[in-house]
Amino acid sequence: MRTVVQGDVYDFERRFYLANNAGIVVVGPVRHERVLRTLKLLFGGWVKGALVPATFRQPPRTTEVRVVKVEAPEIPRIELRGGVIGLKATDPDFLVVQVLVRLLEGRLRRDASVQSSDRVVVEAPLRILPGPVFFSASIAPERALAFSRAATDGFASMAAESVSLEELSLAKASLTSERSTMSIGDQLLELEFFALPRNYPLNLAPRLEAVTTAEVQRVARRLLTANALTVVVFGPVGESFKPQT
């Protein structure tokens, strides 16, 4: 970062922040003419240009569980982050992944004896390219080793063992509840940003209802076959901390 100068920032903005590479979503009782007047006033001088094609490289495959330890004895708690490369938002199996992360979080909270002072989240954020499926946790040092083992085992068990119908029902209900709080504007932005089908919100409920335990297990195998788990441990790690592989 020390080598970045003002000209680098300007060049980046000029190359990537283009008028023809942006989208605007307007929600509410406002007339089309009023919107156009406002946009012309605020963004009328924004220039178009040649879109720079994506050149992202697929991350190298991790074939065995990888643990990265960062010793920070001054930190009171241990921070853990772990996951695998997942699927892009337009993948037909991505909705199953959304169910899968809720199942994983439920199992982690149950099997790792998560306490009220702990912060534990399992996520699979929407991405245009394949994004991560990961857990994030802040745990007391004396319980971090047990938690990391439960997390590693939890990911592996999803591919090896079927989930119960009760677990699946709770995971679906959690996803449905979360989606119900999204505003129309957020849903429209989601469609635009991640190139989702226009009928995605309409088809989501029946598609979610159709997800089976066998489908969850199949997608879990797909994720773990592609990459092994990578875990990053930050805090008063100590020499004895070694997550189970």
Side-chain angles (χ1 to χ4, degrees), residues 67-78:
V67 179
V68 180
K69 298 192 292 183
V70 181
E71 183 68 42
E74 72 280 6
I75 304 298
R77 299 174 71 80
I78 286 185

Side-chain angles (χ1 to χ4, degrees), residues 33-227:
E33 296 79 7
R34 172 71 181 277
V35 172
L36 288 181
R37 284 201 306 271
T38 304
L39 293 181
K40 286 179 180 179
L41 177 64
L42 297 176
F43 303 106
W46 200 0
V47 252
K48 296 181 180 181
L51 299 183
V52 179
T55 57
F56 299 102
R57 296 180 180 177
Q58 184 72 12
R61 181 180 176 188
T62 303
T63 56
E64 297 181 352
V65 175
R66 179 173 175 239
V67 179
V68 180
K69 298 192 292 183
V70 181
E71 183 68 42
E74 72 280 6
I75 304 298
R77 299 174 71 80
I78 286 185
E79 299 291 326
L80 296 105
R81 308 290 186 270
V84 297
I85 299 298
L87 309 177
K88 58 185 179 181
T90 53
D91 191 290
D93 284 335
F94 186 77
L95 183 61
V96 184
V97 173
Q98 294 290 297
V99 175
L100 181 65
V101 297
R102 285 158 179 80
L103 287 165
L104 280 167
E105 184 171 325
R107 287 191 175 188
L108 262 182
R109 292 184 178 279
R110 179 195 68 196
D111 299 338
S113 301
V114 172
Q115 299 182 6
S116 58
S117 59
D118 300 331
R119 183 184 60 81
V120 177
V121 178
V122 184
E123 296 181 277
L126 278 78
R127 295 287 186 269
I128 294 177
L129 299 175
V133 176
F134 69 98
F135 69 85
S136 172
S138 179
I139 305 291
E142 64 274 12
R143 292 185 293 106
L145 178 58
F147 179 89
S148 70
R149 287 176 173 169
T152 303
D153 290 345
F155 270 76
S157 67
M158 278 294 174
E161 305 169 7
S162 62
V163 301
S164 69
L165 291 176
E166 181 181 3
E167 279 184 295
L168 182 61
S169 178
L170 289 173
K172 289 181 179 181
S174 173
L175 180 54
T176 299
S177 175
E178 180 183 310
R179 298 287 308 187
S180 67
T181 63
M182 288 183 64
S183 68
I184 295 177
D186 286 341
Q187 293 185 52
L188 291 173
L189 286 172
E190 187 179 76
L191 296 181
E192 292 297 327
F193 285 169
F194 303 108
L196 297 173
R198 298 297 181 183
N199 60 353
Y200 182 80
L202 299 176
N203 292 338
L204 190 142
R207 175 68 184 94
L208 178 61
E209 183 62 30
V211 173
T212 63
T213 57
E215 197 172 10
V216 169
Q217 192 174 27
R218 174 185 62 78
V219 173
R221 287 198 195 101
R222 178 184 174 188
L223 293 178
L224 294 176
T225 299
N227 274 288

